[in-house]
Amino acid sequence: MSKNKPLPFENDKISEECGIFGIFGSPEAHLLTALGLHALQHRGQEATGMVSFDGKQFKAKRGLGHVSENFNAASMKMDELAGYAAIGHNRYSTTGQSEIRNIQPFLTELAFGDFAIAHNGNLTNAERVRGSLIDTGSLFQSTTDTETIIHLIARSKRNKVEERIKEALLQIEGAYALIALVDNMMIGIRDPLGVRPLILGKLNNSYILTSETCALDIIGAEYIRDIESGEMVLITENSVKSLRISEPLKSRFCIFEYIYFSRPDSVINQKSVYNARKMIGTELARESKVSADLVIPVPDSGVPAALGYAQESGIRFEFGIIRNHYIGRTFIQPSQDARSSGVMMKHNANANIISGKDIILVDDSIVRGTTSRKIVKMMREAGAKSVHMRIASPPTTNPCFYGVDTPSKENLIAAQLNLEDIRNEIEADSLAFISIHGLYRAMGETKRNTQSPQYCDACFTGDYPIAPSRNFILGSKNNVS
Ligand code: AMP
């Protein structure tokens, strides 16, 4: 294979920003998985899939679109998936072809039997590993980074599936929360730094692995614990065995999960996402208070931070922007033009509240700046006297290589412009971001430990805990698979 030719998955955004769910040992595994995936819809809205096992046979169904469009009461897909174990995956992708062959979970027949896998995260050395696997005869079915793991497992000469997986993962770098299913076991794994979330839950006699606690709540399951970084759990009927795939390293969990990505009713690592967001708003108000009549959240992701800001500053909180919930997240538009109109489709000013007022707008992040610019304009058109923008994260100056869809540096407004120029660009009267130490204070730390940071915050600091591959750095945003 030509060394210069881009690998297919560079042009296709695959296993990022995904949500995963698996349950072992329930007669309604397929139904509970559909519910779990529904609770995780915010983590991926482009495609969804499920693989189940009924004791004899593995079955798989995958489709484009939302969970409810694919796995609903009226859908034949549900009956066909009946089983006592099931794993599922929601996928988010902003560009590239939405190919059915890339929808997870993948199901393959390996030497030891059927093997299904669902992945949340992003493998940073997948292109190199994939290249050498292809050079030595592997035939890839999809353009995803995840498939490299399957090929490595297939090639392993070890006897036990867990040993094969461990051997495969020792050759893999990057961020991964994985759920795998074989005929007698469900397996959960977190990468050595625990960048992406994975938790263990229980419902009656069945165990659950999933990305967020909101997926346990929806089925009435009990939270047991977070899977540790570098840990592999083997779940069989009524037993959970824990192994290590790496020595325990200090976790570098993604701080952006708390800021934006996870659902606010989820609890990660004993910490409520909602409370974390509110505390960020509190710190933001301490750092950059401004006098105004109203604090207005950019819904929905800015709401908890705006509440924190309002409570700390004593300025009245109002819903000055109403969101239409029936369209996807702004980012899911294919081009800049469509993305711009997407903001208007999603948000409308509550003009009665805003007119004649000095307002503080609170949003979770500025990425390209498209949303802020549109919303500030919308507020002025609705009669706001002044618009002060407050952002509940530090400036996003670096792309993520571990599974969050951030654009390449040239499209990140904070990587291109200084604070005053961003303010000018979004036409706000004032603009402030929370500082990095303020963010860590909000997370309950005294400050960011610069020698050994408590979280992965590479999108704000450029401090990447896992070296991104050269192609990732050089490439466009589409190169993040
Ligand atoms: P932008 O218009 O590019 O500045 O988008 C910023 C908005 O997108 C913020 O209001 C966030 O709520 C949201 N956002 C931030 N990061 C992401 C992401 N990785 N995927 C989807 N939406 C995001």
Side-chain angles (χ1 to χ4, degrees):
M1 137 172 283
S2 151
K3 297 289 175 231
N4 296 325
K5 201 170 150 219
L7 287 159
F9 59 83
E10 289 175 13
N11 300 319
D12 202 351
K13 300 179 68 64
I14 323 280
S15 54
E16 54 197 311
E17 297 195 341
C18 300
I20 53 178
F21 183 95
I23 179 162
F24 193 88
S26 163
E28 298 199 308
H30 57 306
L31 301 174
L32 297 169
T33 300
L35 285 171
L37 289 176
H38 176 65
L40 298 174
Q41 189 70 81
H42 61 290
R43 297 185 72 88
Q45 295 134 40
E46 190 198 76
T48 187
M50 195 190 302
V51 169
S52 67
F53 182 60
D54 62 8
K56 292 196 197 96
Q57 234 191 321
F58 278 81
K59 290 164 285 185
K61 295 282 173 198
R62 305 178 188 93
L64 295 171
H66 289 188
V67 177
S68 60
E69 295 166 56
N70 285 282
F71 302 122
N72 55 51
S75 146
M76 288 306 290
K77 289 181 183 174
M78 287 322 299
D79 290 345
E80 291 167 22
L81 283 167
Y84 76 88
I87 66 172
H89 186 270
N90 285 339
R91 174 183 163 204
Y92 180 102
S93 158
T94 62
T95 60
Q97 296 151 334
S98 307
E99 290 184 70
I100 295 281
R101 67 183 175 140
N102 285 334
I103 304 177
Q104 298 190 30
F106 293 130
L107 173 62
T108 40
E109 225 180 290
L110 300 183
F112 56 85
D114 286 306
F115 178 81
I117 191 164
H119 170 206
N120 171 210
N122 207 84
L123 310 180
T124 49
N125 68 342
E127 43 156 323
R128 188 170 49 71
V129 177
R130 181 182 171 116
S132 58
L133 286 167
I134 290 174
D135 285 346
T136 51
S138 286
L139 301 172
F140 276 74
Q141 304 289 312
S142 77
T143 59
T144 69
D145 56 349
T146 311
E147 199 186 338
T148 51
I149 301 177
I150 301 175
H151 286 269
L152 292 171
I153 294 170
R155 286 183 181 215
S156 169
K157 299 279 178 286
R158 304 271 180 171
N159 286 329
K160 293 185 172 166
V161 63
E162 57 270 32
E163 290 168 354
R164 285 172 172 254
I165 294 175
K166 184 171 173 179
E167 191 175 84
L169 292 177
L170 288 176
Q171 299 165 71
I172 286 291
E173 290 161 18
Y176 49 86
L178 300 169
I179 306 178
L181 185 66
V182 292
D183 60 2
N184 61 350
M185 189 159 60
M186 179 167 76
I187 302 157
I189 309 141
R190 254 178 116 181
D191 69 70
L193 294 174
V195 177
R196 296 278 143 240
L198 188 65
I199 55 166
L200 178 68
K202 195 164 191 240
L203 178 67
N204 305 322
N205 292 326
S206 51
Y207 284 99
I208 296 140
L209 289 166
T210 188
S211 308
E212 291 184 39
T213 56
C214 63
L216 298 178
D217 297 342
I218 196 172
I219 58 167
E222 165 202 357
Y223 162 83
I224 299 188
R225 64 178 179 90
D226 286 45
I227 305 302
E228 287 171 23
S229 2
E231 183 185 9
M232 170 168 4
V233 287
L234 309 178
I235 296 171
T236 50
E237 227 128 332
N238 277 317
S239 97
V240 180
K241 194 172 144 196
S242 169
L243 306 174
R244 295 220 55 91
I245 57 157
S246 73
E247 288 312 307
L249 295 176
K250 195 178 157 205
S251 152
R252 294 289 296 274
F253 183 68
C254 166
I255 204 162
F256 201 65
E257 289 272 353
Y258 283 106
I259 293 169
Y260 169 81
F261 207 63
S262 295
R263 237 170 76 160
D265 51 340
S266 285
V267 177
I268 307 171
N269 221 352
Q270 322 290 332
K271 195 184 274 299
S272 145
V273 173
Y274 177 83
N275 285 345
R277 287 185 191 167
K278 243 182 114 180
M279 277 311 297
I280 297 173
T282 306
E283 279 296 331
L284 187 57
R286 286 178 189 151
E287 284 187 354
S288 58
K289 191 169 172 201
V290 57
S291 106
D293 301 312
L294 302 174
V295 173
I296 293 186
V298 178
D300 290 327
S301 43
V303 173
L307 255 178
Y309 193 104
Q311 286 174 6
E312 177 65 21
S313 63
I315 301 172
R316 201 167 91 217
F317 175 98
E318 290 285 359
F319 283 105
I321 302 168
I322 303 303
R323 173 169 166 190
N324 180 332
H325 282 97
Y326 303 99
I327 75 155
R329 288 183 175 188
T330 318
F331 261 48
I332 303 169
Q333 307 292 332
S335 66
Q336 185 72 22
D337 275 356
R339 194 176 301 113
S340 306
S341 66
V343 175
M344 306 302 281
M345 277 161 63
K346 195 162 91 169
H347 296 120
N348 192 27
N350 190 0
N352 273 325
I353 293 288
I354 293 161
S355 182
K357 300 288 195 314
D358 294 311
I359 64 167
I360 301 170
L361 275 181
V362 180
D363 201 358
D364 64 282
S365 56
I366 294 185
V367 183
R368 294 179 178 83
T370 324
T371 310
S372 307
R373 195 181 150 80
K374 287 274 170 190
I375 285 187
V376 171
K377 187 162 174 253
M378 191 191 288
M379 296 296 95
R380 291 202 198 282
E381 285 170 2
K385 261 196 333 207
S386 63
V387 184
H388 302 277
M389 193 85 199
R390 294 293 177 271
I391 304 298
S393 59
T396 302
T397 44
N398 300 277
C400 176
F401 302 115
Y402 312 134
V404 171
D405 170 36
T406 39
S408 54
K409 237 178 151 104
E410 63 266 29
N411 292 314
L412 290 171
I413 192 169
Q416 302 303 327
L417 303 179
N418 65 28
L419 186 69
E420 174 55 16
D421 290 342
I422 303 173
R423 186 203 60 73
N424 220 355
E425 184 65 26
I426 66 171
E427 298 181 34
D429 292 275
S430 76
L431 167 69
F433 294 81
I434 194 168
S435 69
I436 190 79
H437 289 306
L439 174 61
Y440 274 81
R441 278 195 300 277
M443 299 300 294
E445 309 287 340
T446 43
K447 59 177 187 151
R448 178 179 192 263
N449 180 342
T450 37
Q451 301 307 315
S452 167
Q454 300 89 327
Y455 291 92
C456 175
D457 54 17
C459 50
F460 309 127
T461 60
D463 178 353
Y464 290 104
I466 311 159
S469 80
R470 195 169 160 272
N471 274 18
F472 278 136
I473 295 170
L474 296 179
S476 72
K477 100 184 188 56
N478 295 359
N479 289 2
V480 186
S481 69

